[in-house]
Amino acid sequence: MKTLFGNRRRELLAQLASAKLDGLLVSRPANWYYLTGFTGDSGALLATKRGTALVTDGRFTGQARQETSGVRIVPQSGSLLDSAGAWLASQRVRRVGFDPQQTSVAQLRALRKSTGSRVEWIPAAAIPEGPEGLRMKKDASELALMRKAAILASEVIAGVAKLLKPGIREFEIAAEIEYQMRRKGASGPAFETIVASGWRTALPHARPTAKRLRKNELVVLDLGAILAHYCSDITRTFYLGRAPARIRGWYRAVQEAQIAAIAAVRAGAVCGEVDGAARQVLTGYRLDRYFVHSTGHGLGLEVHEDPRIAKGQSRRLEPGNVVTIEPGVYVEGVGGIRIEDDVAVHVDRTEVLTRFTRDLIEI
């Protein structure tokens, strides 16, 4: 693992050199882990051609020394940004990149004050890919972990499906989902578990409530587990009772849309075209106006990463990408249906990592 983290830092430094940058402020915890192995939640990582330093406070300095190798641990003195700026100033670097999405105007002002006029702060858009770009392309070890995380989530949804019955409350189901995740080895949920029933299934991100499940209504479960730092994400839709023809038709449309989008996933495919494959099917069923979100997103150390599988996205999929494919139909006041799986892109094939039936389950 030490070699793995070191290789990643070398790749990043090569990008910095190409962008004519002397260093980069890394302020996103997932990127700290990816580049160093550090799992603390407070700090600033400074990658420069003269070396890499992790600034953190006394709660995490011992942990940082244990988890990292080849990284200088700089104890925080005063504010985090003052300490980071002081270390950078001591390294005689001139052009340092930062992530404008993670750095506020006030924080940038503090950094400029702490480093002085000798350091020029450059928005990270000057870097072709950056840590997030490196993270998009998973290596074999990362894919192995993501495969296990996806199987774990699949086993949880299979187990919880047996508990779905009239009278049980949505938040009871959510609690059981997260309990089963941890029993199976997950460190926790990848996001707030979604459990929705009845008309609430038309809310794509419905939070669990005290509502009790009732006969003859839809139930949507959307869950993800974190296993060894990597996320999974799966959604399935159930029906309590015998589904009417309208619901069966909607489900068939969403299922066919997902099949079409998964078939479009391959190395070299344009992300927007994968999204279009799902929308084309739903258009044929005259349901496209009820599909209110993108078809999918990247997955990895965070549950939402690049690449985005959305309309207008021109990025091409590459081997090592892992994306969700999750078309849905949401009819306000009636209900919604979503089917989601995690798909890995290989050189000559794709692999669906989640493993639970995609057919409508009537309970």
Side-chain angles (χ1 to χ4, degrees), residues 202-260:
L203 307 174
H205 279 192
R207 292 180 174 180
T209 69
K211 179 185 178 303
R212 295 181 184 275
L213 273 59
R214 297 189 303 178
K215 193 74 174 173
N216 299 320
E217 66 179 13
L218 288 160
V219 180
V220 170
L221 305 181
D222 185 348
L223 61 99
I226 302 174
L227 183 65
H229 305 289
Y230 285 85
C231 299
S232 55
D233 193 356
I234 184 172
T235 305
R236 290 295 186 269
T237 302
F238 305 84
Y239 195 85
L240 296 186
R242 174 72 175 174
R246 178 172 64 163
I247 297 298
R248 287 171 167 268
W250 291 354
Y251 196 95
R252 186 183 312 111
V254 173
Q255 187 176 36
E256 289 180 11
Q258 197 209 30
I259 289 170

Short mmCIF file of all heavy atoms in Angstrom, two decimals, residues 202-260:
data_model
loop_
_atom_site.label_atom_id
_atom_site.label_comp_id
_atom_site.label_asym_id
_atom_site.label_seq_id
_atom_site.Cartn_x
_atom_site.Cartn_y
_atom_site.Cartn_z
N ALA A 202 -42.46 8.70 -5.38
CA ALA A 202 -42.27 9.68 -6.45
C ALA A 202 -41.25 10.74 -6.08
O ALA A 202 -40.91 11.59 -6.91
CB ALA A 202 -43.60 10.34 -6.80
N LEU A 203 -40.73 10.70 -4.85
CA LEU A 203 -39.67 11.61 -4.41
C LEU A 203 -38.34 10.89 -4.56
O LEU A 203 -38.04 9.96 -3.78
CB LEU A 203 -39.91 12.02 -2.95
CG LEU A 203 -41.29 12.59 -2.61
CD1 LEU A 203 -41.40 12.82 -1.10
CD2 LEU A 203 -41.54 13.88 -3.37
N PRO A 204 -37.51 11.26 -5.53
CA PRO A 204 -36.28 10.49 -5.78
C PRO A 204 -35.37 10.34 -4.57
O PRO A 204 -34.71 9.32 -4.41
CB PRO A 204 -35.60 11.29 -6.91
CG PRO A 204 -36.73 11.96 -7.61
CD PRO A 204 -37.71 12.31 -6.55
N HIS A 205 -35.31 11.36 -3.69
CA HIS A 205 -34.44 11.29 -2.52
C HIS A 205 -35.26 11.36 -1.23
O HIS A 205 -34.93 12.08 -0.29
CB HIS A 205 -33.40 12.41 -2.55
CG HIS A 205 -32.24 12.09 -3.43
ND1 HIS A 205 -31.08 12.82 -3.43
CD2 HIS A 205 -32.03 11.09 -4.32
CE1 HIS A 205 -30.22 12.30 -4.30
NE2 HIS A 205 -30.79 11.26 -4.86
N ALA A 206 -36.31 10.57 -1.17
CA ALA A 206 -37.18 10.56 0.01
C ALA A 206 -36.45 10.01 1.22
O ALA A 206 -35.81 8.95 1.15
CB ALA A 206 -38.42 9.72 -0.27
N ARG A 207 -36.52 10.73 2.32
CA ARG A 207 -35.94 10.23 3.58
C ARG A 207 -36.97 9.35 4.29
O ARG A 207 -38.16 9.59 4.20
CB ARG A 207 -35.55 11.41 4.48
CG ARG A 207 -34.39 12.21 3.92
CD ARG A 207 -34.03 13.36 4.85
NE ARG A 207 -32.84 14.05 4.39
CZ ARG A 207 -32.30 15.09 5.00
NH1 ARG A 207 -32.86 15.56 6.12
NH2 ARG A 207 -31.22 15.68 4.53
N PRO A 208 -36.49 8.34 5.02
CA PRO A 208 -37.44 7.47 5.75
C PRO A 208 -38.24 8.26 6.78
O PRO A 208 -37.72 9.17 7.43
CB PRO A 208 -36.52 6.46 6.44
CG PRO A 208 -35.21 6.54 5.71
CD PRO A 208 -35.10 7.93 5.21
N THR A 209 -39.51 7.91 6.91
CA THR A 209 -40.39 8.57 7.87
C THR A 209 -41.09 7.50 8.72
O THR A 209 -40.83 6.29 8.57
CB THR A 209 -41.46 9.40 7.15
OG1 THR A 209 -42.37 8.50 6.47
CG2 THR A 209 -40.84 10.35 6.14
N ALA A 210 -42.00 7.96 9.56
CA ALA A 210 -42.77 7.03 10.39
C ALA A 210 -43.93 6.40 9.61
O ALA A 210 -44.70 5.63 10.17
CB ALA A 210 -43.31 7.76 11.62
N LYS A 211 -44.06 6.72 8.33
CA LYS A 211 -45.14 6.14 7.52
C LYS A 211 -45.03 4.62 7.53
O LYS A 211 -43.96 4.05 7.36
CB LYS A 211 -45.05 6.66 6.09
CG LYS A 211 -46.14 6.09 5.18
CD LYS A 211 -45.97 6.53 3.73
CE LYS A 211 -47.02 5.91 2.82
NZ LYS A 211 -47.04 4.44 2.85
N ARG A 212 -46.16 3.97 7.70
CA ARG A 212 -46.21 2.52 7.66
C ARG A 212 -46.51 2.02 6.25
O ARG A 212 -47.30 2.64 5.52
CB ARG A 212 -47.27 1.98 8.62
CG ARG A 212 -46.97 2.27 10.09
CD ARG A 212 -48.02 1.69 11.00
NE ARG A 212 -47.78 2.05 12.39
CZ ARG A 212 -46.97 1.38 13.22
NH1 ARG A 212 -46.34 0.30 12.78
NH2 ARG A 212 -46.81 1.79 14.47
N LEU A 213 -45.87 0.94 5.85
CA LEU A 213 -46.14 0.36 4.55
C LEU A 213 -47.56 -0.19 4.54
O LEU A 213 -48.06 -0.68 5.56
CB LEU A 213 -45.15 -0.77 4.27
CG LEU A 213 -43.82 -0.39 3.62
CD1 LEU A 213 -43.05 0.59 4.49
CD2 LEU A 213 -42.97 -1.64 3.37
N ARG A 214 -48.18 -0.09 3.37
CA ARG A 214 -49.55 -0.56 3.23
C ARG A 214 -49.65 -1.51 2.03
O ARG A 214 -48.81 -1.49 1.13
CB ARG A 214 -50.51 0.60 3.04
CG ARG A 214 -50.58 1.55 4.24
CD ARG A 214 -51.70 2.56 4.09
NE ARG A 214 -51.56 3.34 2.85
CZ ARG A 214 -52.43 4.27 2.48
NH1 ARG A 214 -53.51 4.50 3.20
NH2 ARG A 214 -52.23 4.95 1.37
N LYS A 215 -50.67 -2.31 2.04
CA LYS A 215 -50.92 -3.23 0.93
C LYS A 215 -51.20 -2.42 -0.34
O LYS A 215 -51.72 -1.31 -0.31
CB LYS A 215 -52.14 -4.09 1.27
CG LYS A 215 -52.35 -5.29 0.35
CD LYS A 215 -51.35 -6.39 0.62
CE LYS A 215 -51.69 -7.64 -0.21
NZ LYS A 215 -50.63 -8.67 -0.08
N ASN A 216 -50.80 -2.99 -1.46
CA ASN A 216 -51.06 -2.41 -2.78
C ASN A 216 -50.38 -1.06 -2.97
O ASN A 216 -51.00 -0.08 -3.41
CB ASN A 216 -52.56 -2.30 -3.05
CG ASN A 216 -53.24 -3.65 -3.04
OD1 ASN A 216 -52.71 -4.64 -3.56
ND2 ASN A 216 -54.42 -3.72 -2.44
N GLU A 217 -49.09 -0.99 -2.64
CA GLU A 217 -48.32 0.22 -2.92
C GLU A 217 -46.87 -0.13 -3.22
O GLU A 217 -46.37 -1.21 -2.86
CB GLU A 217 -48.41 1.23 -1.78
CG GLU A 217 -47.77 0.81 -0.48
CD GLU A 217 -47.89 1.90 0.59
OE1 GLU A 217 -48.65 2.86 0.40
OE2 GLU A 217 -47.19 1.77 1.61
N LEU A 218 -46.21 0.81 -3.88
CA LEU A 218 -44.80 0.66 -4.24
C LEU A 218 -43.91 0.91 -3.02
O LEU A 218 -44.26 1.68 -2.13
CB LEU A 218 -44.42 1.65 -5.34
CG LEU A 218 -44.97 1.37 -6.74
CD1 LEU A 218 -44.94 2.64 -7.57
CD2 LEU A 218 -44.16 0.26 -7.41
N VAL A 219 -42.72 0.27 -3.03
CA VAL A 219 -41.69 0.51 -2.02
C VAL A 219 -40.35 0.62 -2.75
O VAL A 219 -40.00 -0.26 -3.55
CB VAL A 219 -41.61 -0.61 -0.98
CG1 VAL A 219 -40.51 -0.32 0.05
CG2 VAL A 219 -42.94 -0.80 -0.28
N VAL A 220 -39.62 1.70 -2.51
CA VAL A 220 -38.30 1.90 -3.10
C VAL A 220 -37.26 1.86 -2.00
O VAL A 220 -37.37 2.56 -0.99
CB VAL A 220 -38.22 3.24 -3.87
CG1 VAL A 220 -36.77 3.53 -4.27
CG2 VAL A 220 -39.11 3.20 -5.10
N LEU A 221 -36.23 1.03 -2.18
CA LEU A 221 -35.08 0.97 -1.29
C LEU A 221 -33.85 1.39 -2.07
O LEU A 221 -33.55 0.80 -3.12
CB LEU A 221 -34.87 -0.45 -0.74
CG LEU A 221 -36.05 -1.12 -0.04
CD1 LEU A 221 -35.62 -2.51 0.45
CD2 LEU A 221 -36.57 -0.28 1.11
N ASP A 222 -33.14 2.40 -1.59
CA ASP A 222 -31.90 2.88 -2.22
C ASP A 222 -30.85 2.93 -1.11
O ASP A 222 -30.99 3.71 -0.15
CB ASP A 222 -32.12 4.26 -2.83
CG ASP A 222 -30.91 4.77 -3.61
OD1 ASP A 222 -29.82 4.17 -3.49
OD2 ASP A 222 -31.05 5.78 -4.32
N LEU A 223 -29.84 2.09 -1.22
CA LEU A 223 -28.86 1.98 -0.15
C LEU A 223 -27.46 1.78 -0.72
O LEU A 223 -27.28 1.38 -1.87
CB LEU A 223 -29.23 0.82 0.78
CG LEU A 223 -29.28 -0.57 0.14
CD1 LEU A 223 -28.00 -1.36 0.41
CD2 LEU A 223 -30.49 -1.34 0.65
N GLY A 224 -26.48 2.10 0.12
CA GLY A 224 -25.09 1.90 -0.27
C GLY A 224 -24.25 1.66 0.97
O GLY A 224 -24.54 2.20 2.04
N ALA A 225 -23.22 0.86 0.83
CA ALA A 225 -22.34 0.53 1.95
C ALA A 225 -20.93 1.04 1.67
O ALA A 225 -20.50 1.10 0.52
CB ALA A 225 -22.31 -0.98 2.17
N ILE A 226 -20.24 1.40 2.74
CA ILE A 226 -18.81 1.71 2.66
C ILE A 226 -18.05 0.52 3.20
O ILE A 226 -18.22 0.13 4.35
CB ILE A 226 -18.44 2.97 3.46
CG1 ILE A 226 -19.23 4.18 2.98
CG2 ILE A 226 -16.94 3.25 3.34
CD1 ILE A 226 -19.02 5.42 3.84
N LEU A 227 -17.22 -0.07 2.37
CA LEU A 227 -16.40 -1.22 2.76
C LEU A 227 -14.96 -0.93 2.37
O LEU A 227 -14.67 -0.69 1.20
CB LEU A 227 -16.90 -2.49 2.05
CG LEU A 227 -16.19 -3.79 2.44
CD1 LEU A 227 -16.43 -4.14 3.91
CD2 LEU A 227 -16.64 -4.93 1.53
N ALA A 228 -14.07 -0.92 3.36
CA ALA A 228 -12.66 -0.61 3.12
C ALA A 228 -12.52 0.70 2.35
O ALA A 228 -11.73 0.79 1.40
CB ALA A 228 -11.97 -1.76 2.38
N HIS A 229 -13.31 1.68 2.73
CA HIS A 229 -13.29 3.06 2.21
C HIS A 229 -14.06 3.23 0.90
O HIS A 229 -14.30 4.37 0.49
CB HIS A 229 -11.87 3.57 2.01
CG HIS A 229 -11.01 3.47 3.23
ND1 HIS A 229 -11.20 4.29 4.32
CD2 HIS A 229 -10.00 2.63 3.57
CE1 HIS A 229 -10.32 3.98 5.26
NE2 HIS A 229 -9.60 2.98 4.83
N TYR A 230 -14.46 2.15 0.23
CA TYR A 230 -15.11 2.28 -1.08
C TYR A 230 -16.61 2.06 -0.98
O TYR A 230 -17.10 1.26 -0.20
CB TYR A 230 -14.47 1.30 -2.08
CG TYR A 230 -13.11 1.79 -2.52
CD1 TYR A 230 -11.97 1.51 -1.76
CD2 TYR A 230 -12.97 2.59 -3.64
CE1 TYR A 230 -10.73 2.00 -2.14
CE2 TYR A 230 -11.73 3.09 -4.03
CZ TYR A 230 -10.62 2.79 -3.27
OH TYR A 230 -9.40 3.29 -3.64
N CYS A 231 -17.34 2.81 -1.83
CA CYS A 231 -18.80 2.88 -1.75
C CYS A 231 -19.48 1.97 -2.77
O CYS A 231 -18.96 1.73 -3.86
CB CYS A 231 -19.27 4.31 -2.01
SG CYS A 231 -18.66 5.52 -0.83
N SER A 232 -20.66 1.54 -2.40
CA SER A 232 -21.57 0.87 -3.34
C SER A 232 -22.90 1.62 -3.32
O SER A 232 -23.15 2.44 -2.43
CB SER A 232 -21.77 -0.60 -2.97
OG SER A 232 -22.23 -0.73 -1.63
N ASP A 233 -23.76 1.30 -4.29
CA ASP A 233 -25.02 2.05 -4.42
C ASP A 233 -25.99 1.18 -5.23
O ASP A 233 -25.69 0.83 -6.38
CB ASP A 233 -24.74 3.37 -5.14
CG ASP A 233 -25.89 4.37 -5.07
OD1 ASP A 233 -26.94 4.02 -4.52
OD2 ASP A 233 -25.72 5.50 -5.56
N ILE A 234 -27.11 0.82 -4.64
CA ILE A 234 -28.07 -0.04 -5.33
C ILE A 234 -29.48 0.42 -4.99
O ILE A 234 -29.76 0.84 -3.86
CB ILE A 234 -27.87 -1.53 -4.93
CG1 ILE A 234 -28.81 -2.45 -5.71
CG2 ILE A 234 -28.02 -1.73 -3.43
CD1 ILE A 234 -28.52 -3.94 -5.50
N THR A 235 -30.38 0.35 -5.97
CA THR A 235 -31.79 0.68 -5.75
C THR A 235 -32.66 -0.42 -6.36
O THR A 235 -32.39 -0.88 -7.47
CB THR A 235 -32.18 2.02 -6.41
OG1 THR A 235 -31.32 3.04 -5.94
CG2 THR A 235 -33.62 2.39 -6.08
N ARG A 236 -33.68 -0.80 -5.61
CA ARG A 236 -34.69 -1.72 -6.13
C ARG A 236 -36.07 -1.23 -5.73
O ARG A 236 -36.25 -0.58 -4.70
CB ARG A 236 -34.46 -3.14 -5.61
CG ARG A 236 -33.23 -3.83 -6.18
CD ARG A 236 -33.34 -4.07 -7.68
NE ARG A 236 -32.23 -4.86 -8.20
CZ ARG A 236 -31.11 -4.34 -8.68
NH1 ARG A 236 -30.94 -3.01 -8.70
NH2 ARG A 236 -30.16 -5.13 -9.14
N THR A 237 -37.05 -1.58 -6.57
CA THR A 237 -38.45 -1.20 -6.34
C THR A 237 -39.29 -2.46 -6.18
O THR A 237 -39.15 -3.41 -6.97
CB THR A 237 -38.97 -0.36 -7.51
OG1 THR A 237 -38.13 0.81 -7.67
CG2 THR A 237 -40.39 0.08 -7.28
N PHE A 238 -40.15 -2.46 -5.17
CA PHE A 238 -41.00 -3.61 -4.86
C PHE A 238 -42.47 -3.16 -4.89
O PHE A 238 -42.77 -1.97 -4.86
CB PHE A 238 -40.68 -4.15 -3.46
CG PHE A 238 -39.21 -4.49 -3.26
CD1 PHE A 238 -38.29 -3.51 -2.91
CD2 PHE A 238 -38.78 -5.80 -3.41
CE1 PHE A 238 -36.95 -3.83 -2.73
CE2 PHE A 238 -37.43 -6.12 -3.23
CZ PHE A 238 -36.52 -5.13 -2.89
N TYR A 239 -43.35 -4.15 -4.92
CA TYR A 239 -44.78 -3.84 -4.82
C TYR A 239 -45.40 -4.78 -3.80
O TYR A 239 -45.22 -6.00 -3.87
CB TYR A 239 -45.48 -3.99 -6.18
CG TYR A 239 -46.85 -3.34 -6.20
CD1 TYR A 239 -46.97 -1.98 -6.48
CD2 TYR A 239 -48.00 -4.07 -5.88
CE1 TYR A 239 -48.21 -1.36 -6.46
CE2 TYR A 239 -49.24 -3.45 -5.87
CZ TYR A 239 -49.34 -2.10 -6.15
OH TYR A 239 -50.57 -1.47 -6.14
N LEU A 240 -46.12 -4.19 -2.84
CA LEU A 240 -46.80 -5.00 -1.82
C LEU A 240 -48.17 -5.41 -2.35
O LEU A 240 -49.12 -4.63 -2.32
CB LEU A 240 -46.95 -4.21 -0.52
CG LEU A 240 -45.66 -3.83 0.20
CD1 LEU A 240 -45.96 -3.19 1.55
CD2 LEU A 240 -44.76 -5.04 0.41
N GLY A 241 -48.22 -6.62 -2.87
CA GLY A 241 -49.46 -7.11 -3.48
C GLY A 241 -49.23 -7.40 -4.96
O GLY A 241 -48.09 -7.50 -5.43
N ARG A 242 -50.32 -7.52 -5.67
CA ARG A 242 -50.28 -7.76 -7.11
C ARG A 242 -50.31 -6.42 -7.81
O ARG A 242 -51.28 -5.65 -7.70
CB ARG A 242 -51.48 -8.61 -7.53
CG ARG A 242 -51.65 -8.83 -9.02
CD ARG A 242 -50.62 -9.77 -9.56
NE ARG A 242 -50.87 -10.06 -10.98
CZ ARG A 242 -50.06 -10.77 -11.75
NH1 ARG A 242 -48.94 -11.28 -11.24
NH2 ARG A 242 -50.35 -10.99 -13.01
N ALA A 243 -49.24 -6.09 -8.54
CA ALA A 243 -49.13 -4.77 -9.18
C ALA A 243 -50.14 -4.64 -10.31
O ALA A 243 -50.31 -5.56 -11.11
CB ALA A 243 -47.73 -4.57 -9.72
N PRO A 244 -50.82 -3.49 -10.40
CA PRO A 244 -51.75 -3.26 -11.51
C PRO A 244 -50.99 -3.09 -12.83
O PRO A 244 -49.77 -2.87 -12.85
CB PRO A 244 -52.47 -1.98 -11.12
CG PRO A 244 -51.56 -1.29 -10.15
CD PRO A 244 -50.81 -2.37 -9.44
N ALA A 245 -51.71 -3.16 -13.93
CA ALA A 245 -51.10 -3.12 -15.26
C ALA A 245 -50.28 -1.85 -15.46
O ALA A 245 -49.21 -1.88 -16.09
CB ALA A 245 -52.18 -3.25 -16.33
N ARG A 246 -50.78 -0.70 -14.96
CA ARG A 246 -50.06 0.55 -15.16
C ARG A 246 -48.68 0.49 -14.51
O ARG A 246 -47.68 0.88 -15.12
CB ARG A 246 -50.86 1.73 -14.60
CG ARG A 246 -50.13 3.07 -14.74
CD ARG A 246 -51.01 4.24 -14.37
NE ARG A 246 -51.41 4.24 -12.97
CZ ARG A 246 -51.90 5.31 -12.34
NH1 ARG A 246 -52.08 6.45 -13.00
NH2 ARG A 246 -52.25 5.23 -11.08
N ILE A 247 -48.62 0.00 -13.28
CA ILE A 247 -47.34 -0.10 -12.56
C ILE A 247 -46.42 -1.08 -13.27
O ILE A 247 -45.22 -0.83 -13.43
CB ILE A 247 -47.56 -0.53 -11.10
CG1 ILE A 247 -48.37 0.52 -10.35
CG2 ILE A 247 -46.23 -0.80 -10.41
CD1 ILE A 247 -47.70 1.87 -10.25
N ARG A 248 -46.96 -2.19 -13.74
CA ARG A 248 -46.15 -3.17 -14.47
C ARG A 248 -45.58 -2.55 -15.74
O ARG A 248 -44.42 -2.80 -16.11
CB ARG A 248 -46.99 -4.41 -14.82
CG ARG A 248 -47.28 -5.28 -13.63
CD ARG A 248 -48.30 -6.38 -13.99
NE ARG A 248 -48.34 -7.37 -12.94
CZ ARG A 248 -47.60 -8.49 -12.93
NH1 ARG A 248 -46.78 -8.73 -13.92
NH2 ARG A 248 -47.68 -9.34 -11.93
N GLY A 249 -46.37 -1.73 -16.41
CA GLY A 249 -45.89 -1.07 -17.62
C GLY A 249 -44.78 -0.08 -17.33
O GLY A 249 -43.78 -0.02 -18.05
N TRP A 250 -44.93 0.70 -16.28
CA TRP A 250 -43.88 1.63 -15.89
C TRP A 250 -42.60 0.87 -15.54
O TRP A 250 -41.50 1.27 -15.93
CB TRP A 250 -44.31 2.46 -14.68
CG TRP A 250 -45.39 3.44 -14.95
CD1 TRP A 250 -45.95 3.77 -16.16
CD2 TRP A 250 -46.07 4.23 -13.96
NE1 TRP A 250 -46.93 4.71 -15.99
CE2 TRP A 250 -47.02 5.02 -14.65
CE3 TRP A 250 -45.98 4.35 -12.58
CZ2 TRP A 250 -47.87 5.91 -14.00
CZ3 TRP A 250 -46.82 5.23 -11.92
CH2 TRP A 250 -47.75 6.01 -12.61
N TYR A 251 -42.77 -0.21 -14.79
CA TYR A 251 -41.59 -0.98 -14.37
C TYR A 251 -40.87 -1.56 -15.60
O TYR A 251 -39.65 -1.51 -15.69
CB TYR A 251 -41.99 -2.11 -13.42
CG TYR A 251 -40.79 -2.68 -12.68
CD1 TYR A 251 -40.46 -2.23 -11.41
CD2 TYR A 251 -39.96 -3.63 -13.28
CE1 TYR A 251 -39.34 -2.72 -10.75
CE2 TYR A 251 -38.85 -4.12 -12.63
CZ TYR A 251 -38.55 -3.66 -11.36
OH TYR A 251 -37.42 -4.14 -10.71
N ARG A 252 -41.66 -2.09 -16.53
CA ARG A 252 -41.05 -2.65 -17.75
C ARG A 252 -40.26 -1.58 -18.50
O ARG A 252 -39.14 -1.82 -18.97
CB ARG A 252 -42.13 -3.22 -18.66
CG ARG A 252 -41.58 -3.96 -19.88
CD ARG A 252 -42.70 -4.44 -20.79
NE ARG A 252 -43.75 -5.13 -20.05
CZ ARG A 252 -44.99 -4.65 -19.87
NH1 ARG A 252 -45.34 -3.48 -20.41
NH2 ARG A 252 -45.88 -5.32 -19.19
N ALA A 253 -40.79 -0.37 -18.56
CA ALA A 253 -40.11 0.71 -19.26
C ALA A 253 -38.78 1.07 -18.57
O ALA A 253 -37.75 1.24 -19.24
CB ALA A 253 -41.01 1.95 -19.32
N VAL A 254 -38.81 1.18 -17.25
CA VAL A 254 -37.58 1.52 -16.51
C VAL A 254 -36.56 0.39 -16.64
O VAL A 254 -35.36 0.64 -16.83
CB VAL A 254 -37.90 1.81 -15.03
CG1 VAL A 254 -36.62 1.99 -14.22
CG2 VAL A 254 -38.77 3.06 -14.91
N GLN A 255 -37.02 -0.83 -16.55
CA GLN A 255 -36.11 -1.97 -16.67
C GLN A 255 -35.45 -1.99 -18.06
O GLN A 255 -34.23 -2.20 -18.17
CB GLN A 255 -36.87 -3.26 -16.42
CG GLN A 255 -35.99 -4.51 -16.35
CD GLN A 255 -36.80 -5.74 -16.00
OE1 GLN A 255 -37.95 -5.89 -16.44
NE2 GLN A 255 -36.22 -6.64 -15.22
N GLU A 256 -36.23 -1.76 -19.10
CA GLU A 256 -35.67 -1.74 -20.45
C GLU A 256 -34.72 -0.55 -20.64
O GLU A 256 -33.70 -0.67 -21.33
CB GLU A 256 -36.80 -1.70 -21.49
CG GLU A 256 -37.57 -3.00 -21.58
CD GLU A 256 -38.70 -2.93 -22.61
OE1 GLU A 256 -38.73 -1.95 -23.40
OE2 GLU A 256 -39.54 -3.86 -22.62
N ALA A 257 -35.05 0.57 -20.02
CA ALA A 257 -34.16 1.74 -20.10
C ALA A 257 -32.83 1.44 -19.44
O ALA A 257 -31.76 1.81 -19.95
CB ALA A 257 -34.82 2.95 -19.43
N GLN A 258 -32.85 0.75 -18.31
CA GLN A 258 -31.59 0.40 -17.64
C GLN A 258 -30.80 -0.60 -18.47
O GLN A 258 -29.57 -0.48 -18.61
CB GLN A 258 -31.86 -0.16 -16.24
CG GLN A 258 -30.58 -0.12 -15.39
CD GLN A 258 -30.52 -1.20 -14.35
OE1 GLN A 258 -31.05 -2.29 -14.53
NE2 GLN A 258 -29.82 -0.91 -13.26
N ILE A 259 -31.48 -1.58 -19.05
CA ILE A 259 -30.79 -2.57 -19.89
C ILE A 259 -30.10 -1.87 -21.06
O ILE A 259 -28.94 -2.16 -21.40
CB ILE A 259 -31.80 -3.62 -20.40
CG1 ILE A 259 -32.25 -4.52 -19.24
CG2 ILE A 259 -31.19 -4.46 -21.52
CD1 ILE A 259 -33.42 -5.43 -19.58
N ALA A 260 -30.79 -0.91 -21.68
CA ALA A 260 -30.22 -0.19 -22.82
C ALA A 260 -29.02 0.64 -22.40
O ALA A 260 -28.00 0.69 -23.11
CB ALA A 260 -31.28 0.71 -23.45
#
